[in-house]
């Protein structure tokens, strides 16, 4: 099934599956054991330029923006059905490519299906807004129109999910697009394109380029032919893209990283709080933009809390994502593990206390994969880089607080602002704290959940704009005011003499 959905040629341009013009290829590696699971086409700049031109033509002259909304909705629902039919294959592909457990991949695929269905439903509810100007001869309408050609750039941690948060609303809005998955994990996006092709979406509406961001990035982001860049990824790449976009005043939607505080008050239910902190920090080995990797715990319970957390962290079963016994998988690559290891060394150098983990597992069966142990640092201070920077690995830092004001101050002491969590048995305190935290999503007595119907995105350096929810559709729309005078007459502003 991996072969059928992902086999070359696997660039998808103007409705055709093509090889890269330069003949480039890339090996895709399973992070669980280092084996090559696929060899795919690797685009270069020329392919990206051709893909943008195909999307431009489909938008400007291909008729896609004028397609009745009911027709676009039918495509979205057809894609959702096809995703459902290929659910098993897609989950396997995602696990082999990213290393995440099969259980997580199934959750991802189900979420992807819901996102296509959500935007199919939302697309038909968009109504024009009528303005009462006080003049019965004037019909004043505000309408929504597709923004145009979109460059959709996604990261490696939730490859299909993040790409679907872009493709589904872009299709619903009537945009055309070029999708670029991460070079590290392109397989599930290639598979999605096969399904979009099977669904009969017209040529040029959705195009796929896979390559490194460094090679094709500027062709997608530094061009007047793209009207919107929707990017999810690291803050440094986001800055480069924003600079490129500024050259042509191209619209940008940026979903960048997060360094997400999880505040545990003394009155919180102890066991469920430990469980939530553990899951929030170590799910998918911490490679989650909203991972709760910054624990802020009340000093009166902190020692007991860290002791229990450490016991549970040591019991996490690490292994290949395809093995049902594994609770979490490897890091996405050896290169990424080296970055995480550098953060461990930094934490020690900064004076934090390494409580558990901090190294690769000893298990001889895991030596070929890029595994890393769940790691906890105690005695952390707000100025430390391991507290402030996104490590994107299984590293949890612990800070203690004495009162609610200090907890809020610590929770807001970040350049980011993507997500945060609060646990308390007191609803009034909970409400005060969630309102005071400057983050795009705040969970009260829960952590990590989302729904396609609610906006997702960040304050501060976590980005610009929102995905999901009605705002996630609005990103792909322009607002137009149409002023219609039904009884034109001479205005008489200037005297005619
Ligand atoms: P990167 O920023 O390295 O890459 C993201 C995407 O951008 C990839 O497709 C990458 O391609 C591409 N890219 C890289 N350089 C350029 C460029 N110059 N121009 C255009 N595109 C480029 O992030 P990662 O893939 O490492 O993903 C991890 C990051 O994503 C984390 O910081 C995480 O927090 C963030 N993230 C944010 C989420 C959110 O909702 N806010 C959700 C998930 C992740 P290639 O890989 O081929 O180089």
């Amino acid at each position: 099934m991996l072969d059928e959905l992902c086999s070359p040629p696997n660039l998808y341009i103007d409705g055709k599956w093509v090889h890269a013009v330069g003949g480039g290829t890339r090996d895709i590696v399973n992070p669980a054991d280092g084996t090559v699971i696929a060899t795919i086409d690797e685009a270069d700049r020329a392919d990206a330029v051709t893909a943008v031109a195909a999307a431009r033509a489909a938008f400007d002259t291909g008729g896609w923006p004028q397609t009745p909304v009911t027709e676009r909705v039918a495509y979205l629902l057809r894609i959702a059905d096809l995703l459902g039919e290929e659910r098993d294959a897609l989950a396997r592909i995602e696990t082999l490519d990213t290393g995440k457990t099969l259980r997580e991949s199934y959750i991802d695929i189900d979420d992807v299906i819901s996102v296509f269905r959500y935007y199919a439903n939302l697309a038909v509810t968009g109504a024009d807004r009528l303005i009462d100007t006080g003049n019965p001869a004037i019909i004043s309408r505000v309408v929504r129109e597709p923004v145009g050609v979109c460059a959709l750039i996604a990261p490696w941690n939730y490859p299909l999910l993040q790409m679907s948060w872009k493709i589904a609303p872009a299709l619903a809005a009537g945009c055309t697009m070029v999708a670029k998955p991460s070079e590290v994990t392109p397989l599930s996006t290639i598979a999605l394109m096969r399904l979009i092709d099977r669904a009969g979406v017209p040529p040029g509406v959705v195009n796929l380029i896979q390559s490194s961001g460094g090679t094709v990035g500027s062709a997608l982001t530094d061009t007047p032919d793209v009207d919107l860049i929707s990017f999810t990824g690291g803050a440094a790449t986001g800055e480069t893209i924003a600079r490129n976009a500024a050259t042509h005043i191209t619209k940008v939607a940026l979903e960048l990283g997060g360094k997400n505080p999880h505040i545990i008050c003394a009155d919180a239910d102890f066991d469920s709080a430990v469980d939530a902190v553990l899951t929030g920090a170590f799910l998918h080995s911490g490679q989650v933009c909203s991972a709760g990797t910054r624990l802020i715990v009340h000093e009166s319970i902190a020692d007991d809390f860290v002791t229990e957390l450490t016991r549970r962290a040591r019991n996490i079963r690490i292994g290949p994502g395809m093995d049902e016994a594994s609770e979490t998988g490897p890091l996405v690559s050896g290169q990424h593990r080296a970055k995480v290891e550098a953060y461990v060394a930094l934490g020690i150098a900064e004076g934090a206390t390494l409580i558990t983990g901090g190294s690769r597992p000893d298990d001889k069966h895991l030596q070929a994969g890029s595994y890393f142990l769940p790691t906890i640092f105690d005695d952390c201070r707000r100025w430390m880089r391991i507290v402030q920077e996104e490590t994107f690995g299984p590293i949890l830092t612990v800070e203690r607080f004495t009162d609610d004001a200090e907890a809020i101050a610590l929770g807001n002491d970040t350049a980011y602002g993507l997500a945060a969590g609060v646990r308390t048995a007191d609803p009034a305190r909970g409400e005060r704290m969630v309102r005071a935290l400057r983050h795009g999503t705040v969970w009260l007595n829960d952590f990590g959940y989302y729904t396609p119907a609610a906006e997702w995105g960040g304050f501060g350096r976590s980005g610009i704009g929102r995905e999901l929810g009605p705002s996630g559709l609005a990103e792909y729309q322009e607002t137009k005011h149409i002023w219609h005078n039904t009884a034109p007459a001479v205005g008489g502003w200037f005297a005619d003499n």
Side-chain angles (χ1 to χ4, degrees), residues 200-332:
V201 173
V205 171
V206 186
N207 303 273
L208 168 69
I209 285 293
Q210 63 272 325
S211 184
S212 81
T215 306
V216 299
S218 65
L220 300 177
T221 61
D222 188 357
T223 165
D225 288 331
V226 166
D227 301 295
L228 168 78
I229 304 158
S230 175
F231 168 80
T232 302
T237 316
E239 279 176 33
T240 304
I241 286 174
R243 266 195 295 273
N244 284 348
T247 315
H248 307 281
I249 316 293
T250 306
K251 293 180 168 46
V252 283
L254 302 176
E255 296 286 346
L256 308 178
K259 185 72 181 184
N260 313 290
H262 200 164
I263 297 173
I264 312 298
C265 299
D267 60 0
D269 175 69
F270 189 87
D271 290 340
S272 63
V274 169
D275 191 66
V277 170
L278 193 81
T279 312
F282 298 126
L283 183 83
H284 195 13
S285 293
Q287 302 166 112
V288 182
C289 54
S290 54
T293 51
R294 186 176 176 188
L295 171 62
I296 298 171
V297 57
H298 193 267
E299 58 178 3
S300 64
I301 59 165
D303 288 345
D304 290 346
F305 201 89
V306 172
T307 301
E308 180 59 3
L309 201 57
T310 303
R311 187 189 70 75
R312 298 264 330 252
R314 286 181 178 148
N315 285 338
I316 291 176
R317 290 194 303 273
I318 305 176
M322 295 301 280
D323 181 347
E324 277 187 15
S326 305
E327 293 177 320
T328 192
L331 297 178
V332 75

Side-chain angles (χ1 to χ4, degrees), residues 153-157 162 180-184 211-214 217-218 221 231-235 237 240-241 255-258 289 390 392 418 456 462:
I153 303 173
W156 48 256
N157 58 341
Q162 296 291 336
K180 195 206 89 62
S182 166
E183 64 188 291
V184 188
S211 184
S212 81
S218 65
T221 61
F231 168 80
T232 302
T237 316
T240 304
I241 286 174
E255 296 286 346
L256 308 178
C289 54
E390 188 182 41
F392 228 58
L418 185 62
W456 179 266
S462 287

Side-chain angles (χ1 to χ4, degrees), residues 26 42 164 236 275 289 338 346 352 357 420 479:
R26 172 183 292 272
E42 170 87 345
S164 300
D275 191 66
C289 54
L346 178 68
T479 302

Side-chain angles (χ1 to χ4, degrees), residues 356-367:
T356 190
S359 60
R360 304 174 186 192
D362 291 334
D363 186 340
K364 67 177 186 329
H365 303 293
L366 302 182
Q367 298 309 307

Side-chain angles (χ1 to χ4, degrees), residues 47-92:
D47 300 297
V49 170
T50 309
V52 170
R56 189 75 265 166
F59 189 84
D60 291 343
T61 55
W64 178 250
Q66 293 77 35
T67 313
V69 70
T70 47
E71 212 174 294
R72 296 205 298 273
V73 164
Y75 285 123
L76 287 166
L77 293 175
R78 177 86 186 114
I79 294 165
D81 288 345
L82 291 169
L83 285 161
E85 287 169 23
E86 298 289 1
R87 183 173 175 266
D88 292 334
L90 291 164
R92 259 174 58 81

